Amino acid sequence: SLCDWSSDVCSSDLYKPSFGMTTMFVGTTIFSGDKLVGALIFQIDNNRVDNLMTSSRHWAEVGMGESGETYLIARDATFRSSPRSFLENPAAYIKAAQANGLSQERINAIKLAGTPVLIQPVKTVGAVNVLAGKTGRASFRDYRNIPVVSSYQPIRFGSFDWGLLSEIDQSELFSGITRLARSLLVLAALL
């Protein structure tokens, strides 16, 4: 569900503590023997998570080509890292999200927050499978409604069930095969 923007708490694993920005925390309790003496909480800038998931936006240099990406989703089926298309061109991303039927309320929330993290649901075959605890590969339409080939696996740490998805557009993945097939057809015609 969409965050209550008047509240500090958006979900059990992400919060908006300052300036309305999506922020992650990692925390643990501290004991002295059997006595609870405190808690240690670290705030993690979501840009660091994005940099980890995108190799600091060097997709092509790490073998992800022109369209490949990896991203995280959580149990509520919303992003926990920013999708490549948003990072590369937020205006085009929002336009595509509107064309694909994302509600105006969520579009406005993305614009206000400056990120689709915690706002946009991902309801793809891969998202459904990974949140059901499945690891696999499949072809389906992604959150942009573009055919992709995806690999996915659940990520569990502590009490959180997240999913990791790695996807590339089918058109890019199969472009080499298409070029080879055309070349073979031309060669066969010439022969």
Side-chain angles (χ1 to χ4, degrees), residues 4 13 25 28 40 53 61 88 90 124 127-128 139 147 151 167 176 188:
D4 174 3
D13 59 345
F25 290 90
T28 187
L40 182 61
M53 295 305 299
E61 291 91 335
E88 289 183 325
T124 65
V128 169
S139 296
S151 291
E167 301 174 347

Side-chain angles (χ1 to χ4, degrees), residues 27-45:
T28 187
T29 53
I30 301 171
F31 287 88
S32 177
D34 290 339
K35 183 179 177 189
L36 175 67
V37 294
L40 182 61
I41 301 171
F42 293 97
Q43 182 174 339
I44 301 172
D45 180 0

Side-chain angles (χ1 to χ4, degrees), residues 66-122:
E66 295 297 316
S67 66
E69 67 177 327
T70 57
Y71 59 88
L72 297 167
I73 61 171
R75 177 67 37 212
D76 65 355
T78 61
F79 288 112
R80 288 303 187 265
S81 64
S82 298
R84 179 177 184 168
S85 57
F86 179 82
L87 294 171
E88 289 183 325
N89 190 337
Y93 178 92
I94 288 172
K95 186 176 180 180
Q98 287 172 318
N100 288 321
L102 190 63
S103 73
Q104 191 58 49
E105 179 185 15
R106 289 185 189 265
I107 295 291
N108 292 342
I110 290 170
K111 289 178 181 177
L112 179 66
T115 181
V117 172
L118 196 64
I119 300 168
Q120 182 175 352
V122 181

